[in-house]
Amino acid sequence: MEEILARFADALHKAIGTGRGDHAFSPCGRRWPERPDEGGITGVRRPSRSSSTPHPPLRGTFSRKGRREAAFGKILATAVLASAVCGCWGPPQIGGDDASFKAVDALYTAVSLREVKLVDQCQTTLKSLHEAGSLGEDVSQSLESIIVEAKGGAWEDAQTRLARFMEGQRRGR
């Protein structure tokens, strides 16, 4: 039995090495001249095609499916990068409430003056506005993290974050 399998394997290897003529195929099924046949010996080169062809053979191109996937990946990466640069993920919005805008403006003044007492007053005002429903949960958490940062002694960082937060607000939304 082993002898039969060995003869079959030898015959198969010979057929693969010489059976397809002078051209090989890429994994996608296109002709791929001067490349080893699938399953063939990698070091052996096939003879080149005759010079009667109007153009040189394509080498190693993507299939249509591969080109579509590559194009989709490029478009997706460009969209994500553009939205990050344009600021589509801006700070949470306060809304159209004037009292909320005044409280955030007062917080900015307190942080700029580096007055802990004023920051505490603003924190109390912002908590009451949050409990009344004028400030959303995400806005309240963002402002609270800025207040904690300011109280921790990072006044300039807190002021910069608060300035970005205020610049990202769009009235009436």
Side-chain angles (χ1 to χ4, degrees), residues 20-164:
R20 291 195 184 168
D22 65 350
H23 63 275
F25 288 89
S26 73
C28 295
R30 285 197 293 289
R31 294 177 191 266
W32 199 5
E34 299 177 5
R35 296 290 180 204
D37 202 357
E38 292 176 359
I41 303 170
T42 25
V44 176
R45 296 261 182 200
R46 300 279 179 208
S48 63
R49 300 181 85 178
S50 66
S51 61
S52 64
T53 58
H55 57 78
L58 298 175
R59 295 181 188 258
T61 58
F62 286 121
S63 65
R64 284 186 178 162
K65 180 181 177 186
R67 282 187 292 232
R68 271 183 275 159
E69 290 170 352
F72 178 72
K74 288 178 184 177
I75 291 170
L76 182 64
T78 303
V80 168
L81 182 64
S83 62
V85 169
C86 293
C88 292
W89 294 300
Q93 297 298 305
I94 294 173
D97 186 31
D98 286 334
S100 299
F101 270 101
K102 288 180 182 178
V104 173
D105 188 46
L107 177 63
Y108 183 80
T109 303
V111 170
S112 298
L113 294 174
R114 298 179 183 193
E115 290 288 331
V116 178
K117 185 178 178 182
L118 292 176
V119 171
D120 287 336
Q121 289 175 356
C122 292
Q123 186 176 20
T124 305
T125 305
L126 290 168
K127 279 184 183 178
S128 65
L129 287 170
H130 174 65
E131 290 169 359
S134 297
L135 285 177
E137 183 66 32
D138 52 349
V139 174
S140 182
Q141 286 178 356
S142 181
L143 292 172
E144 185 65 32
S145 70
I146 292 172
I147 290 170
V148 167
E149 187 176 22
K151 285 182 175 181
W155 294 100
E156 291 177 12
D157 294 338
Q159 185 178 1
T160 303
R161 282 185 54 206
L162 191 54
R164 271 194 231 127

